[in-house]
Amino acid sequence: MKNIPFLVFIGLFLLLGCQSEPRKITKEIPIITTPVKIIAPKKAMANAATILSKKEVPILCYHNIKNIDANAGEMTRMYTVTPTNFAQQMKALSDEGYHTILPNQLYEYLVHDAPLPANPVMITFDDTRGEQYSIGAPEMKKYGFKGVFFVMTVSINRPNYLTKEQIKSLSDSGNTVAAHTWDHHMVTKYAGEDWDTQLVKPKKKLEDIIGKPVTYFAYPFGLWNKKAIPEIKKSGYQMAFILATKRDSIDPLYTIRRIIVAGQWSTPSVMKAIKSSFK
């Protein structure tokens, strides 16, 4: 019983302690975690030998689409396909099961081994002619075809050439707009400021018109040399297109082969050339 006073004292002490100021409750601060950004590894790029070993995609090059005057010279006849023949050729491509592809698809096929549709073909147009918009594009549209329009920027808005609005419309409807220099001077003669005038400025002008990157280029007359390729790369182009000459063994992406569809060819001749000209 001697411990009773001591126990009473302890009880009173605990009772008074319970009546003291309540313990402050601090809000829990949530732990914020920064999401980890996963960077996908870059795809390995095929080397030149691998690119050259791949089956070539047939690429057709058109210039003028109009009726040929009886007095037209040999060069005009060579570079001019009549509207009737162009329509027949587009129909023949469709009837034989060809599917048009664009340069971005060709690049992915060559560099990253991406698949292509069955019977791929590319339809390209050089020199900015107005009938490419008024005749060529509508005829291709009948078959769901898309094309590549290589524009020399000096001609934009001139009579019988493409306007800015037409170029924008071609791009907006799924075709590819690409560069073909400022004024069609051959690349093999460039020096000094020519590279900026003929490669850089046209690229920028076309990008301003269509609101998209312009990363493909066609050599005037199909003529090229090894000196031009580093300048074309430096100007921001991914691929460049020649005509039917041999590809470069070191930079095949900058010497993609095409064939001119000659005005004198019949439709069967065009179809035969597609099969015989590309390995």
Side-chain angles (χ1 to χ4, degrees):
M1 299 299 290
K2 290 180 180 181
N3 292 330
I4 290 176
F6 176 75
L7 293 172
V8 171
F9 172 78
I10 292 298
L12 289 171
F13 177 79
L14 293 173
L15 180 63
L16 290 171
C18 291
Q19 293 175 349
S20 62
E21 184 179 350
R23 181 165 59 92
K24 291 182 179 179
I25 299 174
T26 56
K27 292 183 179 179
E28 270 191 35
I29 300 173
I31 298 173
I32 299 173
T33 57
T34 304
V36 178
K37 187 176 181 180
I38 299 173
I39 301 174
K42 287 186 177 180
K43 294 180 181 178
M45 291 184 64
N47 59 29
T50 300
I51 290 170
L52 288 166
S53 70
K54 286 179 168 286
K55 182 174 173 56
E56 289 183 274
V57 171
I59 305 178
L60 306 179
C61 176
Y62 290 93
H63 290 79
N64 306 321
I65 308 173
K66 63 181 183 180
N67 290 313
I68 302 173
D69 187 90
N71 298 319
E74 183 180 346
M75 290 302 290
T76 298
R77 292 179 180 279
M78 172 72 178
Y79 287 97
T80 304
V81 174
T82 67
T84 298
N85 285 349
F86 184 80
Q88 289 176 353
Q89 290 162 20
M90 295 302 103
K91 184 177 186 303
L93 288 171
S94 178
D95 288 347
E96 293 202 21
Y98 282 94
H99 298 86
T100 56
I101 67 164
L102 295 176
N104 63 316
Q105 293 169 278
L106 180 63
Y107 180 87
E108 289 299 319
Y109 161 68
L110 293 174
V111 173
H112 296 135
D113 203 28
L116 291 176
N119 296 325
V121 66
M122 189 182 297
I123 301 170
T124 71
F125 301 87
D126 286 6
D127 297 354
T128 329
R129 298 289 181 178
E131 67 266 12
Q132 297 169 3
Y133 176 84
S134 60
I135 299 173
E139 198 63 44
M140 288 194 299
K141 187 178 179 180
K142 292 179 182 178
Y143 307 101
F145 291 168
K146 303 294 182 184
V148 188
F149 294 81
F150 289 106
V151 177
M152 53 182 186
T153 51
V154 70
S155 300
I156 298 172
N157 290 333
R158 288 185 176 181
N160 301 320
Y161 288 90
L162 295 174
T163 66
K164 287 184 179 180
E165 292 75 19
Q166 289 171 338
I167 292 169
K168 179 74 163 61
S169 175
L170 287 168
S171 176
D172 288 348
S173 57
N175 299 285
T176 295
V177 170
H180 196 38
T181 74
W182 175 56
D183 65 352
H184 212 265
H185 273 54
M186 60 182 66
V187 168
T188 52
K189 294 186 176 181
Y190 292 174
E193 292 299 313
D194 291 337
W195 301 108
D196 186 64
T197 300
Q198 302 289 355
L199 298 179
V200 178
K201 289 181 179 178
K203 180 179 191 296
K204 176 66 166 55
K205 183 167 186 175
L206 292 172
E207 288 174 342
D208 289 343
I209 291 172
I210 67 174
K212 300 173 187 175
V214 170
T215 52
Y216 307 108
F217 174 80
Y219 299 91
F221 311 104
L223 298 176
W224 63 281
N225 58 15
K226 287 183 178 292
K227 178 185 173 184
I229 292 176
E231 297 291 340
I232 294 169
K233 288 181 182 180
K234 188 168 67 176
S235 300
Y237 296 99
Q238 284 187 322
M239 291 194 303
F241 293 75
I242 59 174
L243 288 174
T245 55
K246 187 178 179 181
R247 292 178 289 174
D248 185 66
S249 61
I250 298 172
D251 285 299
L253 290 177
Y254 292 86
T255 50
I256 302 292
R257 293 179 64 252
R258 304 184 290 165
I259 57 170
I260 292 176
V261 179
Q264 301 93 328
W265 288 0
S266 65
T267 296
S269 297
V270 176
M271 306 309 292
K272 182 178 179 181
I274 288 174
K275 294 179 172 65
S276 63
S277 299
F278 297 92
K279 297 178 183 178

